Amino acid sequence: MNVATASRPLDRAAIEARVKELGPWFHDLDLNGVRTCPDHFLFNYPAGKFAKFAHVVPAELTGKSVLDIGCNAGFYSFEMKRRGASRVLGIDHDERYLAQARFAAEVLGFDDVEFRLGEVWDVGSLGERFDMVIFMGVLYHLRHPLLALDLIREHVAGDLMLYQSLTAGSTAEPDVQPDYEFFEGVQALAQDGWPLMHFVERRLAHDPTNWWVPNKACNAAMVRSAGFDIVEQPTDDVILARVSAEPVRHGGAVYPAKNARGAAT
């Protein structure tokens, strides 16, 4: 099927040429029969992964707003639009990914999905809250992961957050007490499944931005500590969370929002 654009339809050859020009791709999208990354090392990514937890994402998002942080080529932005979201904003720090996302949106007919240069540290400048924040595949690339979650909670999360991080280690769910005496607590740290983040000093998968790899319990603990309640944890690395009605224990994000000129507000 040809895809109508504002000026003319794009045939398969034109789509293939543009996909090649914009490569390499990390999201393997189906652009009217043209796969953007058919030889992906994670196999049909991210559609294959999404199939494992799509059931926990609200099927009906009509009238809702979505912020996709680290949107890459826009797979999750498009999925939320397919579920009826009225406003979808994807941000990424990589101009090539944004160009891929904008082209994919053109081919797929999602001309009202917005893609903008930005990253999680910029969310305070957006000046709006979203019904759903998608924070998938970003946390482990950050030097300061808890600050990122704090900023999301304080500035943009209106209700739900869909979270995912590269995950490794124990999948146990320990009975962590609300408080410990000093020596008892130090011993408790060694129990199987204690919330733990593995630190990557040099590189993982040839990527110098892979800094942290949490275990299953740590994913949940970090999300809770940032002021969210766990709604579902369908896999070790994926969480659907909701903004908690309880006050954030640590007082919120360290960094304030900034206006367009960088001045604190």
Side-chain angles (χ1 to χ4, degrees), residues 202-225:
R202 293 184 175 87
R203 294 189 181 216
L204 176 64
H206 314 295
D207 188 340
T209 74
N210 283 331
W211 290 107
W212 302 98
V213 187
N215 65 11
K216 178 182 179 180
C218 188
N219 280 323
M222 288 189 296
V223 167
R224 287 192 300 265
S225 76

Side-chain angles (χ1 to χ4, degrees), residues 113-167:
V113 177
E114 180 184 358
F115 293 103
R116 188 187 304 177
L117 187 67
E119 49 191 328
V120 67
W121 316 122
D122 304 321
V123 296
S125 66
L126 294 177
E128 64 178 299
R129 290 192 179 272
F130 296 81
D131 297 301
M132 175 178 285
V133 174
I134 298 174
F135 191 52
M136 303 277 294
V138 178
L139 179 129
Y140 53 94
H141 292 297
L142 305 176
R143 287 279 292 181
H144 309 290
L146 280 175
L147 175 59
L149 287 170
D150 290 347
L151 289 168
I152 290 170
R153 171 65 179 84
E154 181 152 316
H155 296 300
V156 290
D159 186 16
L160 295 174
M161 178 177 69
L162 183 62
Y163 162 96
Q164 184 272 339
S165 171
L166 176 65
T167 302

Side-chain angles (χ1 to χ4, degrees), residues 88 104 107 146 188 198:
V88 179
V107 172
L146 280 175
H198 306 273

Side-chain angles (χ1 to χ4, degrees), residues 54-120:
H55 61 283
V56 307
V57 180
E60 180 58 64
L61 291 173
T62 300
K64 303 295 186 181
S65 58
V66 177
L67 173 64
D68 186 0
I69 301 171
C71 61
N72 203 279
F75 174 86
Y76 289 104
S77 295
F78 302 141
E79 288 300 320
M80 299 308 108
K81 195 65 185 176
R82 290 187 176 106
R83 293 173 182 236
S86 59
R87 168 159 166 71
V88 179
L89 170 62
I91 63 173
D92 203 289
H93 74 282
D94 192 313
E95 290 279 17
R96 179 169 57 86
Y97 288 151
L98 293 171
Q100 292 174 352
R102 290 172 183 137
F103 175 67
E106 176 188 352
V107 172
L108 298 173
F110 294 128
D111 56 358
D112 56 347
V113 177
E114 180 184 358
F115 293 103
R116 188 187 304 177
L117 187 67
E119 49 191 328
V120 67

